[in-house]
Amino acid sequence: MYGKINSLSALLLAGSAFLTRSIVESKLVFAHYMVGTVDPSTTHAQQDIDGAINVGFDAFALNVGNPGADWAKSTAQQLFDYASSKSFKLFFSFDFYGNGDISQHQALFSQFKDHPAHLKYNDLPVVSSYSGGSVGPDTWRSFKNANNVYLIPNPEADGNYYSNPSGFFQSWGDAIDGVFTWETAWPDTSDTPVNVSSTKDQAVKSAADAAGKAYMMGLSSLQYKHCCGDSWYRAGETNLPERMEQILSLSPEFTEVITWNDAGESHYIGPCWAEGLTDEILQYGNSDTAPHDGWQPLISSFIDAFKAGATDVGSMKPRTGSFAGTMWYRGVLTSCGGDKPRGSGAAVDAVNYAVVLAPGSSGYSIRVTSGGQVLGTQPVGAGLSYNSVAGLKTGAQKIELVDGSGQVVASANSKVDVSNEPTNGFCNYNYYVAGLQ
């Protein structure tokens, strides 16, 4: 049920050519950035910003759960200092799970709100949040009025947010400029395979549109966490390309990729610096041994299409060359005998892929091989095609892009074999990711 070969026509409706410049040009894409310890004697902060620029992001949303900590201030300072010389911006995403006191978040924000690298929208400094619905509209209204900001918080905890979106905006309307929906970026934990849905996004965005408010959707690959007293899995088989399809269709003002560097929940697409991580997290969320940067070319293609006002994945193009693509897989089978996360029943033994081909491409196919056995060969065409091919075997994994003459144009090869054994007593549900080359 996960897979979908999806090469839609690249032609947009003729009327879409008349989208106003302000609508198309206002679309921005951010990456959620977990602010942890970054060693100032390294170039890690600089590498993060340069990497994000290369992907096509406009800004980092700086998730700060401990705004009074010296290490948080140091990391923020490093990022702002380097971004000031780049075409890249930063803004704060107050983490209310980490610290529920808005005054402490405001203190850190005030240090940087006038910095030239701070993102402004409609000439106002941008502020967002992770959680924040329980803070209530009165507190947010006071914060907005006192600081004169463009406010797009994550207020899902408010009881009306999903059950009565119109009522939510009636209560919150003058307190905010828009909303960021976090939880819809993945399906809920499940005992059976399940796909991500945009039904809640549609309802909230419709109410936001009616209220004249902006909407920001989350784009993510998976959730897998095995630390801090809990463990869960939210399906990641084809979650990333499915979500791209949903976002382009709904066309919100903003997209936020979740995340650049959250090793704890495994949905990082960039480096996760070890100096800011615990040994417990590094057992499964180590970007050195399980890098996810192979997803970046796909996200670049999405960003380009989103900013151009495209409304379907058939309009996605490789940023360079004739193709961009990725393979991803879990390093254990579902029959792994160690501790498994909540939601593990949603996992499928499969090799997953997504490929973007240039306009006019035809006659291509993807050949999927697992453990030395060809699982299938499937046609792909211009735009984005993706699928989850069941039958994952132990051993090496590979996908090949094959042209009409049967020649292999590109391939993605695993660097870590699939096994059926737990590591340190648990079954690691993080993904291994390899880009087409």
Side-chain angles (χ1 to χ4, degrees):
M1 67 183 293
Y2 285 97
K4 183 174 183 181
I5 298 175
N6 195 3
S7 296
L8 302 176
S9 169
L11 294 175
L12 296 174
L13 294 174
S16 67
F18 299 99
L19 288 171
T20 65
R21 288 174 59 87
S22 61
I23 290 175
V24 173
E25 292 179 356
S26 70
K27 290 185 176 293
L28 299 174
V29 183
F30 315 125
H32 201 80
Y33 184 99
M34 304 300 291
V35 174
T37 298
V38 173
D39 185 347
S41 69
T42 69
T43 60
H44 289 169
Q46 295 93 318
Q47 290 179 57
D48 282 335
I49 288 175
D50 288 340
I53 291 171
N54 288 337
V55 177
F57 290 111
D58 296 291
F60 279 148
L62 302 180
N63 178 302
V64 181
N66 192 350
D70 289 341
W71 52 262
K73 297 174 184 177
S74 171
T75 297
Q77 190 69 62
Q78 292 175 62
L79 291 166
F80 274 97
D81 285 348
Y82 189 68
S84 62
S85 64
K86 300 289 181 176
S87 58
F88 190 77
K89 301 299 180 183
L90 306 162
F91 64 98
F92 288 102
S93 178
F94 300 165
D95 187 336
F96 285 99
Y97 279 111
N99 188 314
D101 185 349
I102 196 170
S103 66
Q104 294 191 35
H105 291 288
Q106 180 174 347
L108 182 60
F109 161 73
S110 296
Q111 294 182 38
F112 294 98
K113 66 177 182 179
D114 296 321
H115 195 286
H118 199 290
L119 178 67
K120 289 188 175 181
Y121 194 81
N122 289 349
D123 294 323
L124 299 175
V126 174
V127 170
S128 187
S129 73
Y130 171 56
S131 188
S134 60
V135 174
D138 292 341
T139 298
W140 277 120
R141 186 180 298 108
S142 296
F143 173 84
K144 176 175 170 57
N145 292 338
N147 294 278
N148 196 25
V149 298
Y150 187 87
L151 185 60
I152 42 175
N154 166 229
E156 288 170 288
D158 184 274
N160 280 334
Y161 192 79
Y162 289 126
S163 64
N164 182 11
S166 296
F168 167 84
F169 283 103
Q170 289 175 5
S171 299
W172 284 68
D174 62 344
I176 56 175
D177 297 286
V179 293
F180 171 33
T181 302
W182 176 278
E183 293 296 336
T184 55
W186 317 267
D188 292 335
T189 56
S190 173
D191 293 330
T192 57
V194 61
N195 291 74
V196 67
S197 171
S198 60
T199 299
K200 290 180 178 179
D201 289 295
Q202 292 171 1
V204 179
K205 183 181 182 298
S206 178
D209 290 344
K213 303 299 178 181
Y215 192 66
M216 182 156 68
M217 292 177 70
L219 172 64
S220 194
S221 51
L222 79 151
Q223 269 197 32
Y224 168 61
K225 187 170 186 174
H226 185 82
C227 78
C228 318
D230 204 352
S231 182
W232 70 78
Y233 175 73
R234 296 173 73 173
E237 275 67 8
T238 53
N239 195 77
L240 182 66
E242 286 179 33
R243 195 64 176 157
M244 291 177 177
E245 190 170 25
Q246 293 169 3
I247 293 171
L248 291 181
S249 177
L250 288 179
S251 193
E253 287 80 5
F254 311 116
T255 297
E256 188 163 307
V257 170
I258 308 170
T259 59
W260 180 259
N261 64 341
D262 191 343
E265 292 192 355
S266 304
H267 41 53
Y268 54 91
I269 65 164
C272 304
W273 307 117
E275 66 260 31
L277 300 174
T278 65
D279 290 341
E280 185 180 30
I281 290 174
L282 287 170
Q283 288 185 99
Y284 68 94
N286 189 327
S287 63
D288 290 334
T289 56
H292 289 178
D293 56 349
W295 276 319
Q296 291 183 13
L298 289 177
I299 292 173
S300 293
S301 295
F302 164 80
I303 289 173
D304 293 344
F306 178 75
K307 289 184 177 182
T311 56
D312 63 70
V313 295
S315 301
M316 289 175 59
K317 306 172 185 177
R319 179 167 288 178
T320 59
S322 59
F323 65 85
T326 312
M327 169 186 73
W328 59 101
Y329 63 94
R330 273 185 307 277
V332 294
L333 301 179
T334 55
S335 56
C336 171
D339 289 341
K340 295 180 182 178
R342 279 185 294 114
S344 63
V348 177
D349 287 329
V351 178
N352 311 284
Y353 72 82
V355 60
V356 180
L357 298 182
S361 299
S362 63
Y364 288 90
S365 61
I366 287 286
R367 183 163 59 218
V368 180
T369 303
S370 179
Q373 177 181 331
V374 175
L375 299 183
T377 300
Q378 302 178 338
V380 293
L384 174 68
S385 302
Y386 61 87
N387 212 339
S388 183
V389 182
L392 182 71
K393 313 294 183 187
T394 58
Q397 314 300 313
K398 179 171 65 175
I399 65 167
E400 296 167 297
L401 178 62
V402 182
D403 66 16
S405 68
Q407 295 297 309
V408 175
V409 176
S411 62
N413 294 275
S414 61
K415 294 183 179 180
V416 177
D417 287 353
V418 172
S419 75
N420 203 26
E421 299 298 324
T423 303
N424 297 315
F426 68 93
C427 302
N428 185 352
Y429 271 50
N430 192 7
Y431 277 94
Y432 292 99
V433 181
L436 273 177
Q437 296 179 344

